[in-house]
Amino acid sequence: MKKKVVFFEVREGTDKGPDGYRPDTMPMVNALNERDWEAEVIFYSDDKKDEILEKVLTEADAYVSRINPGNLKSEKVYFEMLHELVNNGVIGMAHPDAMSKYGAKDALVKLRDTDLVPSDTFSYYEIEEFKRNFPKQLANGERVLKQNRGSTGEGIWRVVLIDIDAIDQHGSVKLDAKVRCTEAKDNHVEERELGEFMEFCEQYIVGDNGMLVDMPFLHRIKEGEIRIFMINDKPMNVVHKKPADGDDAFSATLFSGAKYRYDKPEEWQELMDLFTGNLQSITEKLGGYDLPLIWTADFILDTDEQGNDCYVLGEMNCSCVGFTSHLSLAHHVADEVISIIKQADEVECHK
Ligand SMILES: Nc1ncnc2c1ncn2[C@@H]1O[C@H](COP(=O)(O)OP(=O)(O)O)[C@@H](O)[C@H]1O
Ligand SMILES: [Mg+2]
């Protein structure tokens, strides 16, 4: 064991504090130092990749990735470096494949046979599949379409059928039916014809990592989105995000006017039990990687067939989840990092 951890950041981006780092990075570095561990922040750039790789392989037990993929020119080279690190014994927090798998919207579809996600949740990697299934699903009720990228509600559409009679003999909504589409980015509403709107959505399916997730619209989003903030396998706090008032408003992003409130996990005990009880199947279904170090899971309330409250998973994030509003969590992160490295070291010694 080298007793050293590196934190990867990039210089660019609007997520930096006055010291040039993400505001929650130095608190983690300091917390590790207080525990007699070395920690260093490395600014990643593609042209320094080999140098960084060499340094981290010789000096560190683990890395913590604090990079918003949106701030990288291309994720490819960075992810190649992370792969080389984990393949050569450096512990990835998170593993690059876990970062892609947990962060992608199609994680929902991989989890649809758990009790976290409705079974009528679909993913479309091909335009043909989208055209075949979406009009059928829309005939059953309001839907939400989610593009794979971003995290600001862009390309997340609530779709409502206006002409409720416009359903053909196969049970699919007709392509010339009028639909009301609301984008979560800013809750703006557009009335369009279904076929024309679906053509517009093809942009989300084509290209690298392109795809759409199609899930039922959950009316109880009005009561808010419930975000569990996780450190490894431990829920640390809950952020309750209530969308702006208004009939069409459904977005829980700050930009769209939602209000945030912070709760203790104990105030949402039933949800915590549901989620922690599912952690093992989540890991298995998303590729078998260790859980990310710092990550979130967002839930929306729903009502089950017996009329009881239940919770539906809406998305997970793990690439660069911040905790600037609760910097004392840095101590929990440091303890968790050290414990993960020590456990891995024991396993190594017993081989
Ligand atoms: N199935 C759903 N039913 C109702 N509202 C939803 C649903 N899925 C997402 N939303 C709303 O849309 C917002 C954006 O969707 P989300 O999946 O979180 O994408 P993003 O990555 O852009 O944050 C959520 O914060 C929530 O308010
Ligand atoms: Mg979201």
Side-chain angles (χ1 to χ4, degrees):
M1 220 167 28
K2 296 158 184 151
K3 290 188 73 178
K4 175 164 178 173
V5 179
V6 296
F7 290 80
F8 292 133
E9 288 219 24
V10 276
R11 289 215 183 267
E12 300 77 27
T14 52
D15 55 350
K16 307 297 184 292
D19 60 0
Y21 303 112
R22 289 176 51 109
D24 43 15
T25 294
M26 283 320 282
M28 292 190 279
V29 169
N30 296 335
L32 281 161
N33 291 159
E34 279 169 32
R35 288 158 176 78
D36 281 329
W37 277 64
E38 246 189 284
E40 182 178 341
V41 185
I42 295 178
F43 283 106
Y44 172 82
S45 61
D46 285 354
D47 56 320
K48 295 218 179 75
K49 176 193 154 192
D50 293 332
E51 193 186 313
I52 298 173
L53 188 63
E54 174 83 32
K55 179 180 163 74
V56 178
L57 282 175
T58 27
E59 293 180 13
D61 298 297
Y63 71 75
V64 179
S65 178
R66 303 298 294 154
I67 295 180
N68 179 345
N71 289 337
L72 286 171
K73 268 187 240 87
S74 121
E75 282 175 41
K76 192 170 159 274
V77 187
Y78 179 60
F79 273 72
E80 274 168 19
M81 182 187 80
L82 298 185
H83 273 115
E84 282 191 58
L85 289 172
V86 293
N87 291 341
N88 288 287
V90 174
I91 300 173
M93 300 182 182
H95 189 291
D97 294 337
M99 275 160 68
S100 339
K101 292 226 157 82
Y102 282 71
K105 294 285 194 297
D106 61 358
L108 295 182
V109 181
K110 294 181 179 142
L111 297 172
R112 75 176 162 193
D113 50 0
T114 67
D115 45 4
L116 301 172
V117 179
S119 51
D120 57 340
T121 301
F122 305 93
S123 49
Y124 306 123
Y125 300 93
E126 304 292 338
I127 291 170
E128 278 317 304
E129 188 60 13
F130 175 47
K131 286 186 173 162
R132 199 186 55 75
N133 196 43
F134 184 65
K136 228 184 246 169
Q137 297 309 321
L138 187 62
N140 298 332
E142 295 182 25
R143 307 294 297 176
V144 172
L145 284 173
K146 303 188 180 202
Q147 70 156 333
N148 206 9
R149 315 174 183 90
S151 60
T152 55
E154 199 173 334
I156 310 287
W157 291 92
R158 170 186 181 181
V159 187
V160 183
L161 179 59
I162 300 174
D163 306 332
I164 41 170
D165 300 326
I167 296 177
D168 68 15
Q169 72 270 31
H170 308 291
S172 289
V173 174
K174 293 179 186 161
L175 293 180
D176 60 357
K178 282 259 180 314
V179 289
R180 196 165 68 242
C181 310
T182 309
E183 191 175 15
K185 180 174 64 169
D186 51 8
N187 291 320
H188 84 277
V189 183
E190 300 179 19
E191 271 189 27
R192 300 169 84 153
E193 283 190 3
L194 176 63
E196 186 259 315
F197 177 67
M198 287 178 66
E199 255 166 52
F200 162 84
C201 287
E202 289 177 10
Q203 59 173 310
Y204 302 127
I205 299 178
V206 297
D208 279 354
N209 295 321
M211 65 113 213
L212 271 174
V213 162
D214 167 15
M215 73 186 295
F217 175 77
L218 304 161
H219 285 271
R220 293 184 71 185
I221 184 62
K222 283 250 156 263
E223 294 167 54
E225 186 177 62
I226 307 140
R227 162 165 293 188
I228 311 181
F229 178 95
M230 300 285 296
I231 296 179
N232 191 21
D233 57 351
K234 298 172 187 68
M236 302 306 299
N237 66 36
V238 172
V239 195
H240 187 249
K241 306 178 173 185
K242 206 166 166 307
D245 290 330
D247 281 346
D248 294 303
F250 76 113
S251 174
T253 61
L254 271 185
F255 174 77
S256 68
K259 297 232 158 41
Y260 285 21
R261 186 186 82 207
Y262 292 89
D263 292 340
K264 292 197 176 71
E266 302 83 79
E267 295 171 66
W268 296 88
Q269 196 56 51
E270 210 181 313
L271 174 60
M272 296 310 123
D273 295 344
L274 169 76
F275 191 55
T276 50
N278 270 291
L279 287 179
Q280 194 171 346
S281 43
I282 293 178
T283 336
E284 281 162 15
K285 288 177 194 297
L286 297 183
Y289 303 99
D290 289 337
L291 291 171
L293 177 68
I294 305 168
W295 58 299
T296 57
D298 296 342
F299 286 86
I300 300 170
L301 267 166
D302 195 13
T303 310
D304 70 14
E305 281 153 17
Q306 288 79 42
N308 299 318
D309 281 355
C310 62
Y311 296 92
V312 172
L313 181 65
E315 70 158 340
M316 294 183 284
N317 282 300
C318 78
S319 316
C320 64
V321 174
F323 55 91
T324 306
S325 55
H326 290 74
L327 288 177
S328 63
L329 287 171
H331 293 282
H332 296 269
V333 176
D335 288 335
E336 201 63 37
V337 166
I338 294 171
S339 136
I340 292 170
I341 297 173
K342 283 188 172 161
Q343 268 177 35
D345 191 60
E346 270 171 35
V347 172
E348 200 54 39
C349 291
H350 286 95
K351 270 189 187 160

PDB file of all heavy atoms in Angstrom, residues 210-238:
ATOM      1  N   GLY A 210     -25.800   7.131 -28.993  1.00  0.00           N
ATOM      2  CA  GLY A 210     -27.149   7.653 -29.165  1.00  0.00           C
ATOM      3  C   GLY A 210     -28.179   6.607 -28.763  1.00  0.00           C
ATOM      4  O   GLY A 210     -27.995   5.417 -29.001  1.00  0.00           O
ATOM      5  N   MET A 211     -29.236   7.042 -28.144  1.00  0.00           N
ATOM      6  CA  MET A 211     -30.373   6.168 -27.842  1.00  0.00           C
ATOM      7  C   MET A 211     -31.417   6.974 -27.079  1.00  0.00           C
ATOM      8  O   MET A 211     -31.139   8.048 -26.564  1.00  0.00           O
ATOM      9  CB  MET A 211     -29.963   4.928 -27.050  1.00  0.00           C
ATOM     10  CG  MET A 211     -29.444   5.183 -25.689  1.00  0.00           C
ATOM     11  SD  MET A 211     -30.630   4.503 -24.549  1.00  0.00           S
ATOM     12  CE  MET A 211     -30.428   5.648 -23.249  1.00  0.00           C
ATOM     13  N   LEU A 212     -32.629   6.445 -27.037  1.00  0.00           N
ATOM     14  CA  LEU A 212     -33.702   7.089 -26.289  1.00  0.00           C
ATOM     15  C   LEU A 212     -34.270   6.096 -25.291  1.00  0.00           C
ATOM     16  O   LEU A 212     -34.434   4.918 -25.612  1.00  0.00           O
ATOM     17  CB  LEU A 212     -34.828   7.510 -27.234  1.00  0.00           C
ATOM     18  CG  LEU A 212     -34.756   8.896 -27.869  1.00  0.00           C
ATOM     19  CD1 LEU A 212     -35.896   9.043 -28.878  1.00  0.00           C
ATOM     20  CD2 LEU A 212     -34.830  10.011 -26.830  1.00  0.00           C
ATOM     21  N   VAL A 213     -34.575   6.574 -24.092  1.00  0.00           N
ATOM     22  CA  VAL A 213     -35.337   5.768 -23.143  1.00  0.00           C
ATOM     23  C   VAL A 213     -36.769   6.285 -23.154  1.00  0.00           C
ATOM     24  O   VAL A 213     -37.007   7.485 -23.254  1.00  0.00           O
ATOM     25  CB  VAL A 213     -34.723   5.843 -21.725  1.00  0.00           C
ATOM     26  CG1 VAL A 213     -35.712   5.386 -20.671  1.00  0.00           C
ATOM     27  CG2 VAL A 213     -33.461   5.005 -21.654  1.00  0.00           C
ATOM     28  N   ASP A 214     -37.709   5.359 -23.094  1.00  0.00           N
ATOM     29  CA  ASP A 214     -39.139   5.675 -23.133  1.00  0.00           C
ATOM     30  C   ASP A 214     -39.755   5.079 -21.874  1.00  0.00           C
ATOM     31  O   ASP A 214     -39.708   3.872 -21.670  1.00  0.00           O
ATOM     32  CB  ASP A 214     -39.710   5.018 -24.413  1.00  0.00           C
ATOM     33  CG  ASP A 214     -41.222   4.980 -24.457  1.00  0.00           C
ATOM     34  OD1 ASP A 214     -41.878   5.678 -23.667  1.00  0.00           O
ATOM     35  OD2 ASP A 214     -41.755   4.231 -25.323  1.00  0.00           O
ATOM     36  N   MET A 215     -40.261   5.940 -20.981  1.00  0.00           N
ATOM     37  CA  MET A 215     -40.862   5.426 -19.742  1.00  0.00           C
ATOM     38  C   MET A 215     -42.174   6.146 -19.447  1.00  0.00           C
ATOM     39  O   MET A 215     -42.447   7.205 -20.013  1.00  0.00           O
ATOM     40  CB  MET A 215     -39.874   5.554 -18.569  1.00  0.00           C
ATOM     41  CG  MET A 215     -39.653   6.960 -18.066  1.00  0.00           C
ATOM     42  SD  MET A 215     -38.337   7.065 -16.795  1.00  0.00           S
ATOM     43  CE  MET A 215     -39.063   6.116 -15.452  1.00  0.00           C
ATOM     44  N   PRO A 216     -43.017   5.568 -18.576  1.00  0.00           N
ATOM     45  CA  PRO A 216     -44.276   6.250 -18.273  1.00  0.00           C
ATOM     46  C   PRO A 216     -44.012   7.597 -17.611  1.00  0.00           C
ATOM     47  O   PRO A 216     -43.059   7.726 -16.838  1.00  0.00           O
ATOM     48  CB  PRO A 216     -44.973   5.315 -17.280  1.00  0.00           C
ATOM     49  CG  PRO A 216     -44.106   4.137 -17.082  1.00  0.00           C
ATOM     50  CD  PRO A 216     -42.862   4.304 -17.847  1.00  0.00           C
ATOM     51  N   PHE A 217     -44.863   8.576 -17.903  1.00  0.00           N
ATOM     52  CA  PHE A 217     -44.802   9.857 -17.184  1.00  0.00           C
ATOM     53  C   PHE A 217     -45.415   9.642 -15.807  1.00  0.00           C
ATOM     54  O   PHE A 217     -46.507   9.089 -15.689  1.00  0.00           O
ATOM     55  CB  PHE A 217     -45.568  10.946 -17.948  1.00  0.00           C
ATOM     56  CG  PHE A 217     -45.630  12.232 -17.167  1.00  0.00           C
ATOM     57  CD1 PHE A 217     -44.528  13.069 -17.106  1.00  0.00           C
ATOM     58  CD2 PHE A 217     -46.781  12.588 -16.465  1.00  0.00           C
ATOM     59  CE1 PHE A 217     -44.567  14.246 -16.365  1.00  0.00           C
ATOM     60  CE2 PHE A 217     -46.833  13.768 -15.724  1.00  0.00           C
ATOM     61  CZ  PHE A 217     -45.716  14.592 -15.681  1.00  0.00           C
ATOM     62  N   LEU A 218     -44.721  10.081 -14.778  1.00  0.00           N
ATOM     63  CA  LEU A 218     -45.203   9.885 -13.408  1.00  0.00           C
ATOM     64  C   LEU A 218     -45.755  11.213 -12.891  1.00  0.00           C
ATOM     65  O   LEU A 218     -45.006  12.156 -12.656  1.00  0.00           O
ATOM     66  CB  LEU A 218     -44.058   9.389 -12.521  1.00  0.00           C
ATOM     67  CG  LEU A 218     -43.396   8.098 -13.045  1.00  0.00           C
ATOM     68  CD1 LEU A 218     -42.029   7.895 -12.446  1.00  0.00           C
ATOM     69  CD2 LEU A 218     -44.294   6.889 -12.770  1.00  0.00           C
ATOM     70  N   HIS A 219     -47.088  11.260 -12.724  1.00  0.00           N
ATOM     71  CA  HIS A 219     -47.735  12.520 -12.350  1.00  0.00           C
ATOM     72  C   HIS A 219     -47.239  13.062 -11.018  1.00  0.00           C
ATOM     73  O   HIS A 219     -47.252  14.255 -10.770  1.00  0.00           O
ATOM     74  CB  HIS A 219     -49.261  12.330 -12.286  1.00  0.00           C
ATOM     75  CG  HIS A 219     -49.858  12.261 -13.641  1.00  0.00           C
ATOM     76  ND1 HIS A 219     -50.277  13.376 -14.307  1.00  0.00           N
ATOM     77  CD2 HIS A 219     -50.053  11.217 -14.483  1.00  0.00           C
ATOM     78  CE1 HIS A 219     -50.725  13.024 -15.495  1.00  0.00           C
ATOM     79  NE2 HIS A 219     -50.602  11.722 -15.629  1.00  0.00           N
ATOM     80  N   ARG A 220     -46.814  12.158 -10.143  1.00  0.00           N
ATOM     81  CA  ARG A 220     -46.416  12.617  -8.806  1.00  0.00           C
ATOM     82  C   ARG A 220     -45.059  13.324  -8.798  1.00  0.00           C
ATOM     83  O   ARG A 220     -44.597  13.723  -7.738  1.00  0.00           O
ATOM     84  CB  ARG A 220     -46.488  11.450  -7.819  1.00  0.00           C
ATOM     85  CG  ARG A 220     -47.943  11.004  -7.630  1.00  0.00           C
ATOM     86  CD  ARG A 220     -48.070   9.912  -6.599  1.00  0.00           C
ATOM     87  NE  ARG A 220     -47.838  10.422  -5.249  1.00  0.00           N
ATOM     88  CZ  ARG A 220     -47.799   9.647  -4.176  1.00  0.00           C
ATOM     89  NH1 ARG A 220     -47.971   8.345  -4.303  1.00  0.00           N
ATOM     90  NH2 ARG A 220     -47.594  10.169  -2.988  1.00  0.00           N
ATOM     91  N   ILE A 221     -44.477  13.546  -9.982  1.00  0.00           N
ATOM     92  CA  ILE A 221     -43.285  14.398 -10.049  1.00  0.00           C
ATOM     93  C   ILE A 221     -43.610  15.782  -9.481  1.00  0.00           C
ATOM     94  O   ILE A 221     -42.740  16.468  -8.953  1.00  0.00           O
ATOM     95  CB  ILE A 221     -42.745  14.493 -11.499  1.00  0.00           C
ATOM     96  CG1 ILE A 221     -41.435  15.303 -11.551  1.00  0.00           C
ATOM     97  CG2 ILE A 221     -43.751  15.110 -12.453  1.00  0.00           C
ATOM     98  CD1 ILE A 221     -40.294  14.732 -10.787  1.00  0.00           C
ATOM     99  N   LYS A 222     -44.885  16.163  -9.532  1.00  0.00           N
ATOM    100  CA  LYS A 222     -45.353  17.426  -8.919  1.00  0.00           C
ATOM    101  C   LYS A 222     -44.930  17.528  -7.455  1.00  0.00           C
ATOM    102  O   LYS A 222     -44.694  18.610  -6.935  1.00  0.00           O
ATOM    103  CB  LYS A 222     -46.890  17.490  -8.950  1.00  0.00           C
ATOM    104  CG  LYS A 222     -47.465  17.828 -10.281  1.00  0.00           C
ATOM    105  CD  LYS A 222     -48.072  19.231 -10.244  1.00  0.00           C
ATOM    106  CE  LYS A 222     -48.155  19.896 -11.588  1.00  0.00           C
ATOM    107  NZ  LYS A 222     -47.091  20.798 -11.895  1.00  0.00           N
ATOM    108  N   GLU A 223     -44.901  16.359  -6.772  1.00  0.00           N
ATOM    109  CA  GLU A 223     -44.523  16.344  -5.351  1.00  0.00           C
ATOM    110  C   GLU A 223     -43.014  16.369  -5.181  1.00  0.00           C
ATOM    111  O   GLU A 223     -42.517  16.411  -4.062  1.00  0.00           O
ATOM    112  CB  GLU A 223     -45.090  15.089  -4.672  1.00  0.00           C
ATOM    113  CG  GLU A 223     -46.596  15.086  -4.627  1.00  0.00           C
ATOM    114  CD  GLU A 223     -47.141  13.710  -4.251  1.00  0.00           C
ATOM    115  OE1 GLU A 223     -46.743  13.151  -3.213  1.00  0.00           O
ATOM    116  OE2 GLU A 223     -47.970  13.183  -5.029  1.00  0.00           O
ATOM    117  N   GLY A 224     -42.296  16.302  -6.292  1.00  0.00           N
ATOM    118  CA  GLY A 224     -40.850  16.460  -6.209  1.00  0.00           C
ATOM    119  C   GLY A 224     -40.076  15.229  -6.630  1.00  0.00           C
ATOM    120  O   GLY A 224     -40.608  14.120  -6.672  1.00  0.00           O
ATOM    121  N   GLU A 225     -38.808  15.470  -6.942  1.00  0.00           N
ATOM    122  CA  GLU A 225     -37.875  14.384  -7.236  1.00  0.00           C
ATOM    123  C   GLU A 225     -37.020  14.200  -5.991  1.00  0.00           C
ATOM    124  O   GLU A 225     -36.647  15.168  -5.341  1.00  0.00           O
ATOM    125  CB  GLU A 225     -37.006  14.780  -8.437  1.00  0.00           C
ATOM    126  CG  GLU A 225     -36.094  13.695  -8.933  1.00  0.00           C
ATOM    127  CD  GLU A 225     -35.331  14.145 -10.179  1.00  0.00           C
ATOM    128  OE1 GLU A 225     -34.557  15.119 -10.089  1.00  0.00           O
ATOM    129  OE2 GLU A 225     -35.497  13.523 -11.236  1.00  0.00           O
ATOM    130  N   ILE A 226     -36.735  12.950  -5.659  1.00  0.00           N
ATOM    131  CA  ILE A 226     -36.044  12.655  -4.403  1.00  0.00           C
ATOM    132  C   ILE A 226     -34.676  12.075  -4.742  1.00  0.00           C
ATOM    133  O   ILE A 226     -34.586  10.971  -5.271  1.00  0.00           O
ATOM    134  CB  ILE A 226     -36.875  11.663  -3.564  1.00  0.00           C
ATOM    135  CG1 ILE A 226     -38.302  12.215  -3.396  1.00  0.00           C
ATOM    136  CG2 ILE A 226     -36.233  11.413  -2.212  1.00  0.00           C
ATOM    137  CD1 ILE A 226     -39.364  11.174  -3.511  1.00  0.00           C
ATOM    138  N   ARG A 227     -33.648  12.851  -4.462  1.00  0.00           N
ATOM    139  CA  ARG A 227     -32.290  12.410  -4.813  1.00  0.00           C
ATOM    140  C   ARG A 227     -31.577  11.845  -3.596  1.00  0.00           C
ATOM    141  O   ARG A 227     -31.435  12.506  -2.573  1.00  0.00           O
ATOM    142  CB  ARG A 227     -31.479  13.588  -5.372  1.00  0.00           C
ATOM    143  CG  ARG A 227     -29.982  13.350  -5.363  1.00  0.00           C
ATOM    144  CD  ARG A 227     -29.221  14.329  -6.226  1.00  0.00           C
ATOM    145  NE  ARG A 227     -29.551  14.113  -7.632  1.00  0.00           N
ATOM    146  CZ  ARG A 227     -28.923  14.726  -8.646  1.00  0.00           C
ATOM    147  NH1 ARG A 227     -27.960  15.596  -8.414  1.00  0.00           N
ATOM    148  NH2 ARG A 227     -29.279  14.466  -9.891  1.00  0.00           N
ATOM    149  N   ILE A 228     -31.125  10.584  -3.708  1.00  0.00           N
ATOM    150  CA  ILE A 228     -30.299  10.008  -2.635  1.00  0.00           C
ATOM    151  C   ILE A 228     -28.849  10.266  -2.985  1.00  0.00           C
ATOM    152  O   ILE A 228     -28.387   9.904  -4.064  1.00  0.00           O
ATOM    153  CB  ILE A 228     -30.505   8.489  -2.496  1.00  0.00           C
ATOM    154  CG1 ILE A 228     -31.990   8.141  -2.449  1.00  0.00           C
ATOM    155  CG2 ILE A 228     -29.795   7.963  -1.253  1.00  0.00           C
ATOM    156  CD1 ILE A 228     -32.257   6.652  -2.283  1.00  0.00           C
ATOM    157  N   PHE A 229     -28.129  10.899  -2.072  1.00  0.00           N
ATOM    158  CA  PHE A 229     -26.700  11.133  -2.258  1.00  0.00           C
ATOM    159  C   PHE A 229     -25.957   9.992  -1.565  1.00  0.00           C
ATOM    160  O   PHE A 229     -26.119   9.785  -0.362  1.00  0.00           O
ATOM    161  CB  PHE A 229     -26.319  12.490  -1.648  1.00  0.00           C
ATOM    162  CG  PHE A 229     -24.845  12.805  -1.758  1.00  0.00           C
ATOM    163  CD1 PHE A 229     -24.364  13.565  -2.812  1.00  0.00           C
ATOM    164  CD2 PHE A 229     -23.947  12.332  -0.805  1.00  0.00           C
ATOM    165  CE1 PHE A 229     -23.001  13.850  -2.915  1.00  0.00           C
ATOM    166  CE2 PHE A 229     -22.583  12.610  -0.905  1.00  0.00           C
ATOM    167  CZ  PHE A 229     -22.115  13.375  -1.963  1.00  0.00           C
ATOM    168  N   MET A 230     -25.180   9.238  -2.337  1.00  0.00           N
ATOM    169  CA  MET A 230     -24.540   8.024  -1.828  1.00  0.00           C
ATOM    170  C   MET A 230     -23.024   8.191  -1.738  1.00  0.00           C
ATOM    171  O   MET A 230     -22.402   8.763  -2.636  1.00  0.00           O
ATOM    172  CB  MET A 230     -24.799   6.856  -2.792  1.00  0.00           C
ATOM    173  CG  MET A 230     -26.239   6.484  -3.016  1.00  0.00           C
ATOM    174  SD  MET A 230     -26.949   5.599  -1.625  1.00  0.00           S
ATOM    175  CE  MET A 230     -25.971   4.076  -1.598  1.00  0.00           C
ATOM    176  N   ILE A 231     -22.414   7.682  -0.664  1.00  0.00           N
ATOM    177  CA  ILE A 231     -20.969   7.461  -0.659  1.00  0.00           C
ATOM    178  C   ILE A 231     -20.793   5.948  -0.614  1.00  0.00           C
ATOM    179  O   ILE A 231     -21.152   5.313   0.381  1.00  0.00           O
ATOM    180  CB  ILE A 231     -20.281   8.160   0.533  1.00  0.00           C
ATOM    181  CG1 ILE A 231     -20.447   9.682   0.387  1.00  0.00           C
ATOM    182  CG2 ILE A 231     -18.796   7.796   0.588  1.00  0.00           C
ATOM    183  CD1 ILE A 231     -19.838  10.489   1.498  1.00  0.00           C
ATOM    184  N   ASN A 232     -20.317   5.410  -1.716  1.00  0.00           N
ATOM    185  CA  ASN A 232     -20.218   3.964  -1.899  1.00  0.00           C
ATOM    186  C   ASN A 232     -21.586   3.321  -1.616  1.00  0.00           C
ATOM    187  O   ASN A 232     -22.531   3.592  -2.344  1.00  0.00           O
ATOM    188  CB  ASN A 232     -19.072   3.427  -1.035  1.00  0.00           C
ATOM    189  CG  ASN A 232     -18.712   1.998  -1.355  1.00  0.00           C
ATOM    190  OD1 ASN A 232     -19.007   1.510  -2.440  1.00  0.00           O
ATOM    191  ND2 ASN A 232     -18.088   1.311  -0.433  1.00  0.00           N
ATOM    192  N   ASP A 233     -21.706   2.495  -0.553  1.00  0.00           N
ATOM    193  CA  ASP A 233     -23.001   1.839  -0.325  1.00  0.00           C
ATOM    194  C   ASP A 233     -23.829   2.525   0.753  1.00  0.00           C
ATOM    195  O   ASP A 233     -24.809   1.962   1.233  1.00  0.00           O
ATOM    196  CB  ASP A 233     -22.764   0.354   0.034  1.00  0.00           C
ATOM    197  CG  ASP A 233     -21.860   0.197   1.256  1.00  0.00           C
ATOM    198  OD1 ASP A 233     -21.287   1.217   1.725  1.00  0.00           O
ATOM    199  OD2 ASP A 233     -21.714  -0.937   1.749  1.00  0.00           O
ATOM    200  N   LYS A 234     -23.449   3.753   1.142  1.00  0.00           N
ATOM    201  CA  LYS A 234     -24.133   4.418   2.258  1.00  0.00           C
ATOM    202  C   LYS A 234     -24.893   5.676   1.832  1.00  0.00           C
ATOM    203  O   LYS A 234     -24.286   6.614   1.322  1.00  0.00           O
ATOM    204  CB  LYS A 234     -23.098   4.803   3.319  1.00  0.00           C
ATOM    205  CG  LYS A 234     -22.383   3.599   3.894  1.00  0.00           C
ATOM    206  CD  LYS A 234     -21.238   4.010   4.791  1.00  0.00           C
ATOM    207  CE  LYS A 234     -20.434   2.786   5.208  1.00  0.00           C
ATOM    208  NZ  LYS A 234     -19.692   2.156   4.065  1.00  0.00           N
ATOM    209  N   PRO A 235     -26.199   5.711   2.048  1.00  0.00           N
ATOM    210  CA  PRO A 235     -26.955   6.944   1.784  1.00  0.00           C
ATOM    211  C   PRO A 235     -26.530   8.021   2.789  1.00  0.00           C
ATOM    212  O   PRO A 235     -26.500   7.757   3.989  1.00  0.00           O
ATOM    213  CB  PRO A 235     -28.409   6.546   2.036  1.00  0.00           C
ATOM    214  CG  PRO A 235     -28.433   5.055   2.085  1.00  0.00           C
ATOM    215  CD  PRO A 235     -27.074   4.613   2.522  1.00  0.00           C
ATOM    216  N   MET A 236     -26.163   9.214   2.323  1.00  0.00           N
ATOM    217  CA  MET A 236     -25.686  10.271   3.216  1.00  0.00           C
ATOM    218  C   MET A 236     -26.721  11.364   3.436  1.00  0.00           C
ATOM    219  O   MET A 236     -26.856  11.882   4.522  1.00  0.00           O
ATOM    220  CB  MET A 236     -24.409  10.916   2.663  1.00  0.00           C
ATOM    221  CG  MET A 236     -23.263   9.972   2.444  1.00  0.00           C
ATOM    222  SD  MET A 236     -22.821   8.983   3.903  1.00  0.00           S
ATOM    223  CE  MET A 236     -22.384  10.236   5.068  1.00  0.00           C
ATOM    224  N   ASN A 237     -27.392  11.775   2.373  1.00  0.00           N
ATOM    225  CA  ASN A 237     -28.497  12.715   2.554  1.00  0.00           C
ATOM    226  C   ASN A 237     -29.469  12.614   1.391  1.00  0.00           C
ATOM    227  O   ASN A 237     -29.234  11.867   0.432  1.00  0.00           O
ATOM    228  CB  ASN A 237     -28.015  14.161   2.803  1.00  0.00           C
ATOM    229  CG  ASN A 237     -27.315  14.771   1.613  1.00  0.00           C
ATOM    230  OD1 ASN A 237     -27.678  14.526   0.457  1.00  0.00           O
ATOM    231  ND2 ASN A 237     -26.299  15.594   1.874  1.00  0.00           N
ATOM    232  N   VAL A 238     -30.559  13.330   1.532  1.00  0.00           N
ATOM    233  CA  VAL A 238     -31.609  13.284   0.520  1.00  0.00           C
ATOM    234  C   VAL A 238     -31.912  14.724   0.095  1.00  0.00           C
ATOM    235  O   VAL A 238     -32.058  15.601   0.941  1.00  0.00           O
ATOM    236  CB  VAL A 238     -32.884  12.628   1.093  1.00  0.00           C
ATOM    237  CG1 VAL A 238     -34.049  12.742   0.122  1.00  0.00           C
ATOM    238  CG2 VAL A 238     -32.619  11.164   1.439  1.00  0.00           C
TER     239      VAL A 238
END
